Amino acid sequence: MDIGIAILIIGFAALVAAFLLLVIGLVYSELMNSDIPRGVANRWKLHMVHGLFVGIAIVGRILHRLGVCHQISFLRRFVACFLTRLNPVPAGLRVKDMKFSDVPVRVYEPTTVCDGLRRGLVYFPGGGWVLGNIDSVDEVCRHIAKETNTTVVSVGYRLAPEHRYPAPLDDCEAATCHFLSVAEAEFSVDPHRVAVGGDSTGANLAAALCQRLARREIGHLLFPCAQVLIYPALQMADFNLPSYQQNHAVPILFRGRMAFYFLQYLNGDMSLCQDVLEGIHVPNELKPRYEEWLSPSNLPAGFLARGYDKHPTAEYNGQVYHAMKDGLEHEVSPLLAEDADIQKTPPTFILTCEYDVLRDEGYLYRKRLLDMEKDVTWHHVAGGFHGMINFFNQGWLGFPSAVQVLDCVVDYIKKL
């Protein structure tokens, strides 16, 4: 072998080895910063899955800094190629990819005989507004459609950072209104029994959409009969609620990562991340109202059992506020909407997980709805963690606890 080629091979091997050692070191460091309490269901498997996700994220960051590709683009491609499993369509279900008002959707129609018109569900995938897509919730939507005899529409809304707020919400509105207008004629669905729902940031879009439609009060436009909110992200005013403190390092959603997703959705300025976590973006005149709605005193005693520290009032920074003031509007933070908007929302299902940074805001939204004498069904998963539903029927990535979450959703939808 030519000595020059041999040197090139050795040099390349050394670079690969150095890269792998760097990734392993960074993964180890990240894993040491995670904290999975003993109460989490299947905690050792969650450790393993978290390690995989951390490794993918680190490789994405390295490639991003090298100018090879954007870290989010790498994450999307990896998840699509290696972590998303599309199984053959089961008997009793018809699945079609379509477009509603130019928005990609996937429609799941039961083929079993139905007396009269079916109910419908328009579902918005979670994923921090940057990762979720139709394929990622395919198994979830299939299961809901089959078990509840419901026509389910999964919406492939545009994603950040390429398409920031309000583009994803606009797509959800366009797809939902289109389906409501053709539900009976084209899908044999009762338009008065069509709910909207989603998980995580998809649930955020569902809640925001209901408030947007209610505000418009268009007489001829049908309105969702219910909203199904699975561990929803509902506010970006306070990242120091007890659940944010207790679960700040519990996979698969860390406290800092939630701020990252909000910023990607709004403006992409990651330099504001620490400012948002500290709360300096909240104007002084809004703080008393937000404190009333977000006070830990509104939470059940069990949510405080693992302890929390009262966060000192942050000094307001007007420059930070103006850079991201949309984040405090009701279309991004539905929990912070005025009472009049909360009053107009449809019956609501809310699911929260004990080991989730978003646990408290789901419960606090429930309280605001109940204060308005709205119909609310709440289910809390004691051993649950954020993102459970995405592991439903995913082979070696599956978590049995994901079945528990879906069973609760199925039971609620059957009653609509």
Side-chain angles (χ1 to χ4, degrees):
M1 179 184 294
D2 183 89
I3 189 169
I5 296 177
I7 291 173
L8 285 174
I9 293 174
I10 294 171
F12 179 76
L15 283 173
V16 171
F19 180 79
L20 291 175
L21 286 172
L22 174 62
V23 171
I24 291 170
L26 291 172
V27 169
Y28 179 79
S29 175
E30 289 282 345
L31 290 177
M32 291 302 98
N33 290 328
S34 68
D35 175 27
I36 304 181
R38 292 188 179 278
V40 175
N42 305 103
R43 62 191 297 263
W44 291 111
K45 187 170 187 178
L46 183 57
H47 268 296
M48 180 187 68
V49 171
H50 175 55
L52 173 64
F53 287 171
V54 166
I56 298 167
I58 287 172
V59 172
R61 287 204 299 267
I62 293 173
L63 294 177
H64 180 81
R65 290 176 182 175
L66 292 174
V68 176
C69 66
H70 196 285
Q71 60 174 318
I72 291 176
S73 298
F74 174 79
L75 288 172
R76 288 176 188 162
R77 290 174 186 172
F78 189 96
V79 170
C81 291
F82 299 104
L83 300 180
T84 301
R85 186 178 68 170
L86 294 180
N87 296 314
V89 177
L93 198 63
R94 181 170 55 246
V95 179
K96 296 185 293 185
D97 287 337
M98 310 176 67
K99 284 194 174 182
F100 286 174
S101 298
D102 292 325
V103 179
V105 300
R106 183 170 293 164
V107 181
Y108 303 81
E109 293 183 277
T111 58
T112 54
V113 177
C114 179
D115 295 330
L117 300 175
R118 284 192 172 86
R119 68 176 70 83
L121 171 68
V122 184
Y123 194 88
F124 311 130
W129 299 285
V130 302
L131 296 175
N133 59 43
I134 290 173
D135 288 343
S136 65
V137 294
D138 186 70
E139 286 293 333
V140 170
C141 292
R142 291 183 184 195
H143 185 77
I144 292 174
K146 281 205 69 175
E147 294 299 316
T148 65
N149 198 24
T150 297
T151 296
V152 177
V153 178
S154 180
V155 180
Y157 55 86
R158 288 171 291 174
L159 299 174
E162 298 91 342
H163 306 283
R164 303 194 194 280
Y165 167 81
L169 182 59
D170 291 342
D171 285 357
C172 293
E173 178 186 15
T176 301
C177 291
H178 179 96
F179 182 62
L180 287 169
S181 68
V182 302
E184 184 172 358
E186 297 184 15
F187 297 98
S188 297
V189 168
D190 184 350
H192 298 282
R193 296 174 66 206
V194 174
V196 295
D199 58 285
S200 189
T201 51
N204 170 281
L205 292 168
L209 176 60
C210 285
Q211 292 186 11
R212 174 187 277 194
L213 295 177
R215 273 193 166 201
R216 292 182 179 174
E217 295 183 319
I218 302 175
H220 67 276
L221 183 66
L222 292 170
F223 191 68
C225 70
Q227 53 182 347
V228 179
L229 311 180
I230 303 169
Y231 38 73
L234 294 170
Q235 61 86 30
M236 66 170 304
D238 190 349
F239 290 86
N240 294 286
L241 292 171
S243 61
Y244 267 110
Q245 294 186 32
Q246 296 165 4
N247 304 313
H248 70 280
V250 177
I252 57 176
L253 182 63
F254 284 13
R255 173 175 175 260
R257 197 66 177 174
M258 193 63 240
F260 168 88
Y261 288 138
F262 269 114
L263 290 171
Q264 287 291 340
Y265 186 38
L266 292 171
N267 58 29
D269 187 352
M270 293 302 105
S271 68
L272 300 176
C273 193
Q274 191 57 41
D275 295 331
V276 171
L277 292 174
E278 291 297 323
I280 69 174
H281 62 297
V282 180
N284 293 328
E285 61 269 23
L286 295 180
K287 288 178 180 177
R289 183 169 29 165
Y290 291 174
E291 288 173 0
E292 177 185 354
W293 294 335
L294 303 176
S295 172
S297 64
N298 294 327
L299 298 170
F303 281 16
L304 309 179
R306 288 189 284 136
Y308 78 99
D309 296 321
K310 182 174 174 55
H311 190 72
T313 302
E315 184 176 347
Y316 170 63
N317 184 308
Q319 185 175 357
V320 176
Y321 165 72
H322 285 290
M324 51 180 308
K325 59 183 179 181
D326 285 342
L328 300 178
E329 295 295 327
H330 71 101
E331 288 194 347
V332 177
S333 295
L335 175 53
L336 307 182
E338 300 293 337
D339 286 348
D341 296 318
I342 301 288
Q343 179 65 52
K344 296 174 184 176
T345 56
T348 304
F349 171 88
I350 299 175
L351 184 138
T352 55
C353 293
E354 176 62 27
Y355 301 102
D356 179 9
V357 293
L358 303 181
R359 178 197 68 195
D360 291 352
E361 51 204 75
Y363 185 88
L364 293 170
Y365 196 50
R366 169 184 180 265
K367 183 181 186 305
R368 289 209 65 195
L369 290 165
L370 289 175
D371 287 346
M372 295 288 105
E373 299 184 346
K374 303 299 294 184
D375 182 6
V376 186
T377 299
W378 173 56
H379 187 84
H380 184 63
V381 183
F385 58 90
H386 192 85
M388 293 170 64
I389 201 170
N390 296 101
F391 298 102
F392 175 76
N393 201 24
Q394 290 299 318
W396 67 273
L397 280 173
F399 281 80
S401 47
V403 178
Q404 178 186 357
V405 174
L406 263 186
D407 284 346
C408 298
V409 175
V410 164
D411 289 344
Y412 180 77
I413 293 175
K414 283 181 177 178
K415 301 172 184 175
L416 296 178

